[in-house]
Amino acid sequence: MKAVLQRVKKAGVSVEGKLINSIEAGLCVLIGFEKEDNIEKLKKMAQKIVKLRVFGERFDKSLTDINGEILLIPNFTIPGITKKGTRPNFQYSMPPSEAKEFYDKMIEELNGYAPTKSGVFGAYMEVEIINDGPVTLILEV
């Protein structure tokens, strides 16, 4: 499981030109699931996302410390391999039917810690963010 986490002042996701969800201060997280992922990894990733100290001038506050929100965007390209050639290889990406279940479980898990809004699984989305920092990290469990 891999995620690209961005600290944002605000973020939103649209499908077919219609705003689906938006957040104010918090984290925009693009998440990709891999074939070998399991519920234990999912819970570990959720805790990492909400407990990671990326807020405050000294990176001494977490999402929960600032009462921030999460915008969780499903992104099957995150686990893509780009070491060879010029086209990404998605051999390790979880199949869509399983990934949808994991995505729904991740939303549920994150909502236990902080308000979490979602994109639309399988849809072509436009994600608009206003970076704060910018602070961008790649998480892997």
Side-chain angles (χ1 to χ4, degrees):
M1 186 175 317
K2 295 178 183 174
V4 176
L5 178 145
Q6 295 183 303
R7 186 176 75 184
V8 299
K9 290 187 177 188
K10 63 181 174 178
V13 60
S14 299
V15 174
E16 297 179 1
K18 181 181 175 190
L19 183 65
I20 302 300
N21 266 318
S22 65
I23 63 167
E24 294 299 321
L27 299 172
C28 180
V29 180
L30 285 74
I31 192 155
F33 300 101
E34 299 171 300
K35 290 178 182 175
E36 296 182 5
D37 287 340
N38 57 45
I39 297 302
E40 183 179 304
K41 284 184 177 183
L42 184 141
K43 290 182 179 197
K44 187 175 181 182
M45 178 65 87
Q47 289 178 7
K48 187 133 188 122
I49 290 168
V50 296
K51 292 182 179 181
L52 198 62
R53 292 181 296 176
V54 295
F55 294 93
E57 289 182 25
R58 300 179 131 179
F59 280 44
D60 58 350
K61 294 183 174 147
S62 69
L63 181 76
T64 54
D65 292 329
I66 67 149
N67 295 318
E69 300 176 282
I70 299 169
L71 181 61
L72 188 69
I73 306 297
N75 190 323
F76 84 96
T77 65
I78 300 285
I81 299 167
T82 57
K83 290 181 182 177
K84 290 184 186 178
T86 56
R87 183 175 298 181
N89 179 326
F90 301 109
Q91 70 187 47
Y92 297 116
S93 294
M94 187 179 279
S97 60
E98 290 177 57
K100 169 80 168 101
E101 289 179 34
F102 268 70
Y103 181 67
D104 291 342
K105 287 177 185 175
M106 180 60 86
I107 294 167
E108 184 179 325
E109 187 72 21
L110 287 170
N111 261 318
Y113 298 103
T116 302
K117 296 180 180 172
S118 65
V120 178
F121 190 92
Y124 183 88
M125 295 172 278
E126 294 176 350
V127 180
E128 188 173 356
I129 64 168
I130 296 181
N131 255 325
D132 185 12
V135 173
T136 302
L137 297 165
I138 298 169
L139 305 180
E140 193 169 351
V141 295

